[in-house]
Amino acid sequence: MIKMKDLQKKYSGFDLNITMEIPEGTVTGLIGKNGAGKSTTIKSVLGLIRPDGGEITVLDKVPQEFTAQDREAIGAALSDSGFSMMLTIKDVIEILKSFYKEFQEEEFRRLCKEQDLPMDKQIKDFSSGMKAKLRVITAMSHNAKLLVLDEPTAGLDVLARNDVLDLLRNYMEEDSSRSILISSHISSDLEGLCDDIYMINKGRIILHEDTDTILGKYGILKVSEEEYASMDKQYLIAEKKDKFSHTCLTNEKQFYLDNYPNMVVENSSIDDMIVLMLGGKEK
Amino acid sequence: MRGLLIKDIRLLGQQKKLLIMYGAMAVILGYSMDSTFLVSYFPMIGLFLVLSTIANDNFDNGMAFLMTLPISGKLYAAEKYVISILVTIGTWICAVALQFVMLNIKHEEFAVANQLVQDLMFVPLFFLIIGLMIPMDLKFGTEKGRLVLFAIFGIFMVLVLGGKAVVEFLSKNAGLDVQGLLDSIKAMPGGMVCAVLFGVVILLLIVSIVLSIRIMQKKEY
């Protein structure tokens, strides 16, 4: 669905250089701190910016050469952009109907009703959660093969976030050939949704792993100075030194469980990974 | 393009209060003032309302999302010309109809053909505004676009005054017959002047469209 090879984009004080591949039928998460390059990556996929180098194809086409028909196969939701705030959902329905041949009006109305989105109210009077839900429902409204979502859950409370994630899960269940690229800095959102995760930092991909592998094989080791000095460090990915101890991230949790029975080994969440890989010292 | 047109029409529809006020003012002004004023005022306000949709599209970074819809920058630019021209012609027709009603109510005598030619003279002016403002708004955004437009008008005024000074100098020193030239223009039939004006402005509109399409194709969001 999406292939990027050494994709480059330079701004003053920031340069992006990434390689990624998103196959058909997968949900891929892109995580990283604010300013890491997530939105630049998403914009490159949508053809909103021109790359300075490298290669990118989306649905076998270069985004800059997308025709209207190509764009119909993509549903997009951007965190800081959407339909004019002056419009109502009724207006949005008429607009989408005339843009997309496959606009599913009944389904769109059903989802809006299910999520308590009012038809006649101007979007400017919606809460942040309602606006975010409308953006996602709009992206899903025309049977797109690929959804590209930039921070669709940013600024939402936990209930609204779950609603948005449920919408996406249902979308994937309807057709297994669909793909989603979703960026977020709230990694817990991605754990239960994504098949694989790319971690981006300062414009570079620093980790690509299946979510199951991250949750199953990665672990957090909490070790004293003495334990740290004597332990085998070949499976450590990142570490952070505290006052009297070390917190380490490993991609072979079982190795330490087997060989160091007294060591504190905890399951790792994506949040732990971010803290250690982006806040600690990479090995 | 249909989607973009519907979007802009819906956006204009959301400004109901403004549209009602604008209609009411047109009727009042049409009755109380010289009816020709109505034909210049009514389409001009309509045109500015349509051009405000560019500002609206840009508001809250909205262009980024618009460009993810099944459209291209080229189509976006073209649609702005289509809707501006449609609204200008539509409001001009309404204004002319209203003008004729007002002239009848006030029992003023007028020749329909002459009045129409006189009214038609405003249309190239509206097209000129479209041709200047759309590329400015697309390139610089609405606020900066207005400033650039004022700067252009400033330069234009300097050129006109400079040109006038040159013509006066030539008529005094080189025997240029300015009055004769003006008389021959005045002697031309109104319809011909109108046709020449339309020709010039349409050429300008074509240049403006090409420029706007290039601006949109180069833009990043």
Side-chain angles (χ1 to χ4, degrees):
Chain A
M1 282 264 179
I2 302 176
K3 282 182 188 165
M4 292 178 235
K5 196 176 174 215
D6 295 322
L7 180 78
Q8 292 160 39
K9 183 70 189 173
K10 292 184 179 71
Y11 294 111
S12 91
F14 174 80
D15 78 296
L16 181 85
N17 189 332
I18 55 167
T19 297
M20 283 175 77
E21 186 164 353
I22 291 136
E24 193 178 283
T26 59
V27 182
T28 297
L30 184 62
I31 56 169
K33 292 191 284 194
N34 292 332
K38 301 188 295 291
S39 293
T40 308
T41 307
I42 296 276
K43 284 178 179 179
S44 302
V45 170
L46 292 170
L48 297 175
I49 53 175
R50 269 182 300 279
D52 295 321
E55 292 163 23
I56 177 166
T57 55
V58 178
L59 300 168
D60 298 323
K61 278 235 175 156
V62 175
Q64 258 68 43
E65 291 165 11
F66 277 158
T67 60
Q69 203 182 342
D70 297 326
R71 286 204 180 275
E72 286 202 36
I74 301 170
L78 304 175
S79 60
D80 59 348
S81 178
F83 277 118
S84 168
M85 297 284 169
M86 287 169 70
L87 298 171
T88 64
I89 293 188
K90 268 189 181 168
D91 294 326
V92 169
I93 289 173
E94 291 309 313
I95 294 166
L96 291 173
K97 218 193 287 184
S98 52
F99 270 125
Y100 294 101
K101 286 186 203 92
E102 289 201 44
F103 176 60
Q104 322 275 311
E105 185 177 346
E106 287 305 309
E107 180 65 0
F108 183 85
R109 283 181 186 274
R110 188 188 67 77
L111 287 173
C112 287
K113 199 175 170 192
E114 191 182 282
Q115 299 297 328
D116 294 323
L117 302 180
M119 288 282 151
D120 294 313
K121 216 174 176 182
Q122 284 186 312
I123 298 171
K124 69 179 164 65
D125 297 324
F126 282 19
S127 67
S128 311
M130 288 157 91
K131 284 177 195 162
K133 285 174 189 173
L134 177 61
R135 282 197 287 266
V136 172
I137 293 172
T138 301
M140 302 189 320
S141 68
H142 48 91
N143 204 13
K145 281 185 202 163
L146 172 68
L147 291 189
V148 182
L149 313 168
D150 187 18
E151 305 264 8
T153 55
L156 303 187
D157 62 51
V158 67
L159 290 175
R161 266 163 46 202
N162 276 338
D163 286 342
V164 168
L165 296 172
D166 281 342
L167 286 171
L168 296 175
R169 281 188 200 99
N170 292 340
Y171 192 73
M172 284 303 285
E173 275 169 20
E174 283 170 18
D175 183 348
S176 59
S177 69
R178 290 168 172 168
S179 295
I180 300 179
L181 170 63
I182 176 170
S183 81
S184 180
H185 63 270
I186 307 163
S187 48
S188 56
D189 285 353
L190 304 186
E191 280 179 5
L193 179 71
C194 297
D195 298 302
D196 62 338
I197 303 270
Y198 282 87
M199 190 185 287
I200 186 167
N201 190 37
K202 294 176 184 167
R204 303 286 185 277
I205 298 294
I206 57 167
L207 179 102
H208 174 220
E209 196 67 88
D210 286 345
T211 315
D212 288 345
T213 308
I214 292 172
L215 300 177
K217 291 181 78 180
Y218 281 59
I220 302 291
L221 315 176
K222 292 189 172 165
V223 294
S224 65
E225 291 278 7
E226 295 76 36
E227 279 177 310
Y228 181 77
S230 61
M231 71 192 277
D232 186 342
K233 298 184 187 70
Q234 66 170 315
Y235 299 115
L236 298 186
I237 299 172
E239 62 175 75
K240 195 175 157 202
K241 191 181 179 315
D242 303 319
K243 206 167 182 184
F244 303 109
S245 62
H246 288 261
T247 307
C248 309
L249 177 71
T250 176
N251 58 356
E252 285 296 343
K253 180 172 68 183
Q254 199 58 43
F255 171 82
Y256 293 97
L257 282 170
D258 293 343
N259 294 292
Y260 302 91
N262 295 326
M263 191 177 276
V264 178
V265 180
E266 294 174 354
N267 289 332
S268 144
S269 67
I270 297 174
D271 273 331
D272 295 325
M273 277 175 51
I274 291 179
V275 170
L276 282 165
M277 292 193 72
L278 305 183
K281 195 174 89 184
E282 252 183 89
K283 296 292 284 181
Chain B
M1 183 168 300
R2 213 178 113 236
L4 285 170
L5 286 171
I6 289 174
K7 172 189 72 66
D8 282 346
I9 290 164
R10 293 256 162 187
L11 272 176
L12 290 173
Q14 287 295 342
Q15 304 183 50
K16 282 183 202 99
K17 281 181 194 164
L18 206 65
L19 290 174
I20 291 168
M21 209 170 75
Y22 151 58
M25 274 180 76
V27 173
I28 294 164
L29 290 173
Y31 191 76
S32 60
M33 295 183 74
D34 175 6
S35 63
T36 315
F37 177 76
L38 186 70
V39 182
S40 60
Y41 161 83
F42 202 52
M44 186 76 89
I45 302 287
L47 180 56
F48 276 93
L49 274 175
V50 173
L51 291 174
S52 74
T53 60
I54 298 179
N56 223 306
D57 291 342
N58 278 302
F59 192 68
D60 270 347
N61 198 28
M63 278 302 284
F65 174 71
L66 274 184
M67 288 300 141
T68 68
L69 298 174
I71 56 164
S72 60
K74 186 178 170 180
L75 192 76
Y76 177 86
E79 186 268 348
K80 289 298 170 197
Y81 285 91
V82 169
I83 192 157
S84 301
I85 291 169
L86 284 178
V87 167
T88 303
I89 292 174
T91 46
W92 180 84
I93 291 170
C94 292
V96 170
L98 198 60
Q99 179 194 36
F100 284 8
V101 171
M102 293 298 174
L103 287 171
N104 276 311
I105 289 173
K106 290 196 267 184
H107 302 295
E108 286 182 23
E109 279 185 22
F110 66 99
V112 175
N114 284 351
Q115 190 61 53
L116 268 180
V117 170
Q118 200 182 330
D119 292 344
L120 209 57
M121 295 278 196
F122 286 109
V123 180
L125 174 73
F126 301 138
F127 285 2
L128 179 72
I129 294 170
I130 292 171
L132 286 174
M133 286 187 72
I134 292 181
M136 292 294 166
D137 284 359
L138 293 179
K139 174 80 181 167
F140 301 104
T142 308
E143 246 174 69
K144 272 191 204 164
R146 297 284 182 276
L147 288 177
V148 175
L149 204 64
F150 281 132
I152 288 175
F153 275 129
I155 294 167
F156 182 70
M157 286 309 291
V158 170
L159 288 176
V160 167
L161 291 174
K164 197 182 161 199
V166 170
V167 168
E168 275 171 5
F169 177 80
L170 288 177
S171 64
K172 272 184 193 165
N173 301 301
L176 183 73
D177 183 12
V178 180
Q179 195 53 49
L181 205 66
L182 286 174
D183 287 344
S184 60
I185 292 173
K186 275 183 192 166
M188 281 169 77
M192 190 189 282
V193 176
C194 215
V196 170
L197 280 176
F198 265 99
V200 171
V201 166
I202 284 169
L203 270 178
L204 199 134
L205 261 185
I206 292 168
V207 173
S208 170
I209 292 168
V210 172
L211 208 67
S212 292
I213 287 172
R214 282 201 187 156
I215 290 167
M216 287 306 292
Q217 282 173 336
K218 279 186 183 171
K219 263 195 166 185
E220 292 193 330
Y221 306 94

